[in-house]
Amino acid sequence: MLKLTNVTTRIGDHQVIHDVSLHIAHGDIVALLGGNGAGKTSLFRTIVGVLPVSKGKVEFKGEEINHIAAHKIVGKGISLCPEGRQLFPQLPVYKNLMLGAYHRKDKKGIEESLEQVYTLFPRLKERYKQMAGTFSGGEQQMLAVGRAIMSKPDMMLLDEPSMGLAPLVVEGIAEAITKLNKTGMTIFLSEQNAQIALMITRHGYVLENGHLVLDGLSKDLITNEKVKKAYLGT
Ligand SMILES: Nc1ncnc2c1ncn2[C@@H]1O[C@H](COP(=O)(O)OP(=O)(O)OP(=O)(O)O)[C@@H](O)[C@H]1O
Ligand SMILES: [Mg+2]
């Protein structure tokens, strides 16, 4: 479904992604592990067209997408749930959700997506009029995932959804991500929290200084010495 071939990305003079190749099949759930500054956000921004590819190729459903504008890529079926949530704090929950569907014209489909969001996160339905900025961190993360669902993606990129959340709240988010994957949505999940990411994914990639340094089945990565030392704190 998603294929990167020797992707290199620069921000100014700084090369942030080096020669990254990876492949994610339809329906899969895959982790992207890496510490601060490893390049996780930059890689996701490259995939969705916010950062230009300086070398290499990004293909989605067999189509080369690296020359397509970011606002058009969402219509191809790929949605980024960004780091730090990036909500509109002065807008109510409902409006934040609808912004995720801005490019859609299918009224009935939008209603169905909204129902899907409310089923996954009943909290958002209860609080649909509340300003997003007054939400707790966990609720804001639910809203960010909900907004991404509203674009009806075939693939969702989730950039560190566990950031700043208490363990119990992280568990709830992880459960929601697993449920989304079970509906057939392909998931690419970036995390510093390797523990949770490797628990819920099938495969994992490890990024260091913009290079992919390791990849394998998540269940093997959990017991990998390098991963344990660098990302699991054991
Ligand atoms: N706008 C920018 N201008 C210059 N350098 C940048 C910019 N954005 C990111 N970088 C650099 O790119 C590298 C990768 O950053 P990135 O944000 O992709 O890492 P990350 O893995 O997402 O880290 P974190 O876990 O802290 O979010 C870092 O060295 C960072 O300083
Ligand atoms: Mg980041």
Side-chain angles (χ1 to χ4, degrees):
M1 175 165 251
L2 177 73
K3 191 174 171 200
L4 271 61
T5 312
N6 306 111
V7 168
T8 294
T9 306
R10 289 172 189 285
I11 301 178
D13 295 336
H14 197 65
Q15 191 167 328
V16 290
I17 299 296
H18 302 259
D19 210 26
V20 164
S21 296
L22 59 81
H23 181 241
I24 298 179
H26 177 79
D28 208 352
I29 178 160
V30 176
L32 179 65
L33 306 180
N36 281 126
K40 304 180 297 299
T41 299
S42 301
L43 186 62
F44 278 5
R45 287 188 176 149
T46 303
I47 294 170
V48 300
V50 175
L51 286 176
V53 172
S54 53
K55 252 198 290 182
K57 203 158 69 167
V58 180
E59 291 163 277
F60 185 61
K61 296 179 190 162
E63 179 188 7
E64 201 170 323
I65 59 167
N66 37 280
H67 301 299
I68 300 178
H71 69 277
K72 292 206 172 129
I73 285 179
V74 69
K76 301 272 174 198
I78 187 160
S79 185
L80 171 66
C81 181
E83 178 176 88
R85 287 121 212 180
Q86 312 281 354
L87 300 168
F88 293 89
Q90 312 280 27
L91 290 181
V93 167
Y94 175 78
K95 289 230 160 121
N96 271 277
L97 287 174
M98 292 317 275
L99 282 168
Y102 75 93
H103 66 289
R104 295 175 67 184
K105 305 254 183 303
D106 56 325
K107 252 188 148 177
K108 189 156 175 285
I110 293 172
E111 281 301 317
E112 282 166 13
S113 295
L114 194 60
E115 234 6 83
Q116 188 190 1
V117 172
Y118 286 159
T119 306
L120 191 63
F121 301 119
R123 186 81 173 163
L124 299 183
K125 188 172 188 174
E126 284 162 33
R127 303 288 188 94
Y128 74 101
K129 282 190 196 157
Q130 191 174 326
M131 295 298 145
T134 64
F135 256 12
S136 73
E139 289 165 341
Q140 290 195 12
Q141 188 59 56
M142 288 177 205
L143 183 51
V145 175
R147 183 182 54 187
I149 292 172
M150 290 304 293
S151 76
K152 204 174 195 318
D154 300 309
M155 178 170 198
M156 196 186 292
L157 311 179
L158 290 129
D159 197 357
E160 292 203 56
S162 81
M163 195 199 281
L165 304 181
L168 206 63
V169 180
V170 171
E171 263 178 48
I173 297 290
E175 208 176 288
I177 294 169
T178 305
K179 277 188 191 162
L180 276 180
N181 178 242
K182 290 203 168 126
T183 69
M185 198 187 289
T186 309
I187 302 280
F188 197 13
L189 168 68
S190 120
E191 271 298 338
Q192 288 197 47
N193 184 340
Q195 184 75 44
I196 196 84
L198 292 175
M199 292 277 282
I200 66 168
T201 53
R202 186 195 64 82
H203 195 91
Y205 288 97
V206 180
L207 196 61
E208 273 177 20
N209 297 319
H211 297 264
L212 279 187
V213 292
L214 191 66
D215 82 283
L217 292 175
S218 302
K219 66 176 171 59
D220 295 334
L221 291 176
I222 285 183
T223 54
N224 179 289
E225 282 309 319
K226 190 175 149 70
V227 172
K228 272 164 73 175
K229 222 167 152 185
Y231 303 106
L232 295 169
T234 51

